[in-house]
Amino acid sequence: MSKPIVLITSATGRIGRELVARLAQGQQFTVRACYFSDAKAEQLQALGADEVVKFDLSDPATWEAALEGVSAVYSASLDPMLEGHLNFCKALGARKDQIKHVVRVSCMGADTNTADYDVDTHASRPGAGIPLMLQHYWWGEKALIDAGLTVTALRNNFFMNHLLKTDCETIENEGWFSNPLGSMRNSFVATRDIAEAAAVVLAEGPERHGNKFYDITGPAPQSMAEIAADLGRAMGKDIEYRAQSMEQFEADFGATRAEFFEYLTNGFYTRCSPDFYNITGHKPTSYYDYLTTKGASGETGLEELWQGNLWKKGVDAMKDAAGAKAS
């Protein structure tokens, strides 16, 4: 009998590459990996993808071939691509008899199915609402649920390394990085752990994980000074954290990104969830271990740190997406 086909969107991203490698090793599925850039297709095949397919959330013409014969979908999308994702959810819903399971990468903090978050009630600032990016993550889940699909959401804490990618040049050349998080501790999560959780959830299927919503975090909350110490130990050099004002951060990355970061300064993402352990049977990966050991895709977290990044200083990447509407 032929194996079921799982479609991996955002397969060339940090989580996607790891997931492709893990699913390929498990040999339970025919792994169909999506690429946007033609140059990445060969990389996905090297990781073990059985099939590779051109896919673009902004181009529905690419969806038909990607979805042919698919029974499970790993769904992830860059933050500015929300509108494309919401439209893709409708296409998946039109195939709900075919698509048995969708695993969606998300973030905790604005959901209304497992909690009662009020969109107009900020966690720490009187008179403000929940940050728009957190609302977007929930809209991304809700669109799949509303389409009648069986969904598992991985609501992840902030990614390890994601904080530092905008400062790679100063880390390498000058030995420091900056952001507005200060002494607040957050339980940052390794992207390889998200991929491992997704692989287990897909393998065990919707019978066990359908209509389940998991908070995926790291094993310990860490301050920026502690992150700097781990990074320095991994690099074999002193790395310094330099505090940045929220005003300067907003000037660098825009208001939408800054209001999300405020939640990283107020303790909202400090706690450590047991969900990763309950899915996989072991603790999440520490930041130092992530930096110094290889994942299934063959790279260490330190190697991954120097790779591409959506967020660029002086560019508001969320400028257009801020106007998106929930479907």
Side-chain angles (χ1 to χ4, degrees), residues 82 109-110 119-120 129-140 259:
L82 174 65
V119 67
D120 296 320
I130 291 174
L132 184 60
M133 286 182 67
L134 296 188
Q135 296 181 50
H136 283 183
Y137 285 120
W138 167 234
W139 297 356
E259 67 175 8

Side-chain angles (χ1 to χ4, degrees), residues 21-43:
R22 283 186 172 273
L23 291 178
Q25 291 171 6
Q27 298 186 342
Q28 181 174 338
F29 295 97
T30 295
V31 178
R32 181 178 295 164
C34 296
Y35 65 89
F36 176 78
S37 170
D38 293 343
K40 297 292 184 70
E42 189 173 329
Q43 178 191 59

Side-chain angles (χ1 to χ4, degrees), residues 31-93:
V31 178
R32 181 178 295 164
C34 296
Y35 65 89
F36 176 78
S37 170
D38 293 343
K40 297 292 184 70
E42 189 173 329
Q43 178 191 59
L44 294 172
Q45 291 171 323
L47 289 172
D50 299 292
E51 303 171 5
V52 294
V53 60
K54 183 84 169 183
F55 181 80
D56 181 354
L57 275 177
S58 65
D59 183 5
T62 66
W63 300 353
E64 186 72 23
L67 289 170
E68 179 68 28
V70 165
S71 61
V73 176
Y74 165 79
S75 171
S77 51
L78 294 173
D79 296 291
M81 297 296 294
L82 174 65
E83 188 170 357
H85 166 69
L86 297 179
N87 291 330
F88 185 56
C89 291
K90 296 174 184 176
L92 292 177

Side-chain angles (χ1 to χ4, degrees), residues 14-277:
R14 284 164 284 172
I15 304 170
R17 295 195 304 269
E18 187 77 6
L19 179 58
V20 168
R22 283 186 172 273
L23 291 178
Q25 291 171 6
Q27 298 186 342
Q28 181 174 338
F29 295 97
T30 295
V31 178
R32 181 178 295 164
C34 296
Y35 65 89
F36 176 78
S37 170
D38 293 343
K40 297 292 184 70
E42 189 173 329
Q43 178 191 59
L44 294 172
Q45 291 171 323
L47 289 172
D50 299 292
E51 303 171 5
V52 294
V53 60
K54 183 84 169 183
F55 181 80
D56 181 354
L57 275 177
S58 65
D59 183 5
T62 66
W63 300 353
E64 186 72 23
L67 289 170
E68 179 68 28
V70 165
S71 61
V73 176
Y74 165 79
S75 171
S77 51
L78 294 173
D79 296 291
M81 297 296 294
L82 174 65
E83 188 170 357
H85 166 69
L86 297 179
N87 291 330
F88 185 56
C89 291
K90 296 174 184 176
L92 292 177
R95 294 173 175 259
K96 62 186 176 183
D97 292 337
Q98 170 193 331
I99 307 294
K100 306 302 183 185
H101 195 195
V102 180
V103 176
R104 174 66 181 171
V105 168
S106 188
C107 182
M108 49 192 170
D111 49 284
T112 58
N113 66 334
T114 60
D116 288 322
Y117 288 111
D118 181 346
V119 67
D120 296 320
T121 304
H122 197 281
S124 60
R125 189 198 301 175
I130 291 174
L132 184 60
M133 286 182 67
L134 296 188
Q135 296 181 50
H136 283 183
Y137 285 120
W138 167 234
W139 297 356
E141 294 181 46
K142 188 174 184 295
L144 293 165
I145 297 167
D146 290 348
L149 297 153
T150 301
V151 177
T152 305
L154 302 178
R155 293 171 176 164
N156 309 296
N157 204 324
F158 207 78
F159 298 173
M160 294 175 178
N161 275 350
H162 208 37
L163 293 164
L164 310 181
K165 282 182 171 290
T166 54
D167 286 319
C168 281
E169 186 174 338
T170 55
I171 290 170
E172 180 68 24
N173 298 328
E174 302 177 41
W176 63 272
F177 65 89
S178 66
N179 61 52
L181 303 192
S183 60
M184 178 55 65
R185 288 184 168 89
N186 291 277
S187 56
F188 304 110
V189 63
T191 49
R192 73 173 63 148
D193 284 355
I194 303 168
E196 181 178 356
V200 173
V201 165
L202 284 164
E204 294 180 346
E207 296 79 14
R208 182 163 181 175
H209 297 286
N211 194 33
K212 295 291 191 296
F213 302 85
Y214 300 115
D215 292 346
I216 309 298
T217 73
Q222 289 185 285
S223 69
M224 289 299 93
E226 291 163 341
I227 290 290
D230 278 348
L231 180 59
R233 184 156 62 107
M235 294 181 67
K237 60 188 287 187
D238 290 335
I239 300 295
E240 176 190 359
Y241 166 67
R242 297 182 183 179
Q244 180 185 34
S245 70
M246 187 62 77
E247 292 76 15
Q248 183 58 54
F249 184 84
E250 182 171 337
D252 286 340
F253 300 107
T256 304
R257 183 71 166 167
E259 67 175 8
F260 172 62
F261 259 66
E262 183 175 353
Y263 267 42
L264 296 173
T265 69
N266 65 17
F268 192 86
Y269 295 107
T270 296
R271 72 180 183 88
C272 297
S273 167
D275 288 349
F276 179 81
Y277 181 94

